[in-house]
Amino acid sequence: MATDRPVKRKRRGSGVAGQGGDGFLRSRTDPRSERRFEPKASVAHVLTWLGMSVAALLAGAGVYGQWFRGEEAGGHPYAPYLLLFAVLLGGASALFGQWSMKPIRVGDAGVAIENAPGEIERIGWNDVTRLLLTDAALTVQGSGTAIAIPLRTHLPAASRVLAEARSRVPAHLTDIKEGALPPPDDAAGEVRPLEPPQVAGLRCKVTDKLIAFEADARLCGRCGELYHKEGVPPRCATCEAPLR
Ligand SMILES: [Zn+2]
């Protein structure tokens, strides 16, 4: 749905980085957004929780039967078996259960996983080195880090990541076939605005010039690569998007 904006969208600073052109160049405060995907609770996940809960109950009963039945009663004969079974079931649930139920975010700032509330691990598109697709997961590899998106609980997010990666950093997923995942569903995921990135103190990708003032920063709107306003190349050094 289109909304009326009183202020016209600003593409660049006051004419510093050349005139005209309508490429992917963005300034730091240009609006950016991403989609947030909650995981879908799967049967395996419910079973994991059930297994862990039953294990905890059995462990409690076992501990009571073994040590807390009073002096004269002594330990219940079944108590050690209950304890052993509880340990086995709990161990199996923890080992084989499905715990990866973290929300995933996809958008202008790359791919992110919410490890804990307020603790977000992010790989910018400009830091992506490779995408890997297996039967179980789509993995986004960055330099020294990776985010695995399980297909069972996060298929809509994985579809979105694959589609965005194909248009933003196509060179990194040449071995994934077209149509390997269903096309992204525009109704899936909650669209959220992104804060402007923290860029002061970082360096221009091309000139290595220090970005001392945030107003000097320019971004590639496609992969998020960072440039000093005086060092913007005609094409993005990372994804080759036309910048001016
Ligand atoms: Zn780029």
Side-chain angles (χ1 to χ4, degrees):
M1 219 180 302
T3 50
D4 286 327
R5 285 172 189 272
V7 182
K8 217 180 157 193
R9 180 182 166 127
K10 204 170 95 190
R11 274 270 161 91
R12 56 179 76 228
S14 46
V16 182
Q19 314 294 315
D22 192 37
F24 283 90
L25 194 66
R26 302 284 183 273
S27 30
R28 180 183 159 266
T29 49
D30 279 341
R32 305 182 309 155
S33 66
E34 66 183 358
R35 279 172 192 265
R36 181 176 183 273
F37 294 86
E38 291 273 359
K40 183 177 67 115
S42 67
V43 174
H45 184 250
V46 171
L47 286 180
T48 304
W49 273 109
L50 203 62
M52 292 302 269
S53 309
V54 171
L57 275 177
L58 289 179
V63 165
Y64 175 84
Q66 179 75 351
W67 289 294
F68 292 94
R69 293 210 319 151
E71 286 288 310
E72 61 280 8
H76 191 280
Y78 291 160
Y81 300 104
L82 264 184
L83 276 176
L84 180 67
F85 187 62
V87 167
L88 288 179
L89 183 60
S93 301
L95 267 182
F96 304 111
Q98 193 179 15
W99 289 104
S100 184
M101 292 296 284
K102 298 167 181 170
I104 297 281
R105 299 181 180 205
V106 193
D108 289 323
V111 181
I113 185 165
E114 294 178 22
N115 285 323
E119 193 201 316
I120 298 176
E121 186 185 345
R122 202 177 271 290
I123 301 178
W125 295 113
N126 55 325
D127 286 328
V128 169
T129 54
R130 198 179 167 202
L131 270 83
L132 269 176
L133 181 64
T134 65
D135 290 342
L138 176 68
T139 304
V140 181
Q141 295 181 341
S143 40
T145 180
I147 293 175
I149 303 164
L151 300 184
R152 255 194 306 184
T153 51
H154 265 308
L155 188 59
S159 290
R160 174 68 55 180
V161 169
L162 194 60
E164 290 214 11
R166 223 181 266 291
S167 67
R168 293 174 186 269
V169 286
H172 297 311
L173 58 149
T174 44
D175 41 353
I176 301 179
K177 285 196 202 84
E178 292 276 350
L181 290 179
D185 176 2
D186 280 343
E190 173 202 354
V191 179
R192 295 180 160 201
L194 275 159
E195 298 275 311
Q198 305 289 318
V199 292
L202 301 179
R203 286 179 182 277
C204 173
K205 174 75 176 176
V206 167
T207 61
D208 205 38
K209 194 175 163 111
L210 182 76
I211 292 161
F213 305 102
E214 298 198 308
D216 291 345
R218 295 293 179 270
L219 299 163
C220 170
R222 192 156 81 174
C223 75
E225 193 55 85
L226 180 66
Y227 300 98
H228 191 283
K229 68 181 180 187
E230 286 160 16
V232 177
R235 281 183 174 270
C236 177
T238 301
C239 75
E240 298 186 350
L243 295 180
R244 44 170 157 152

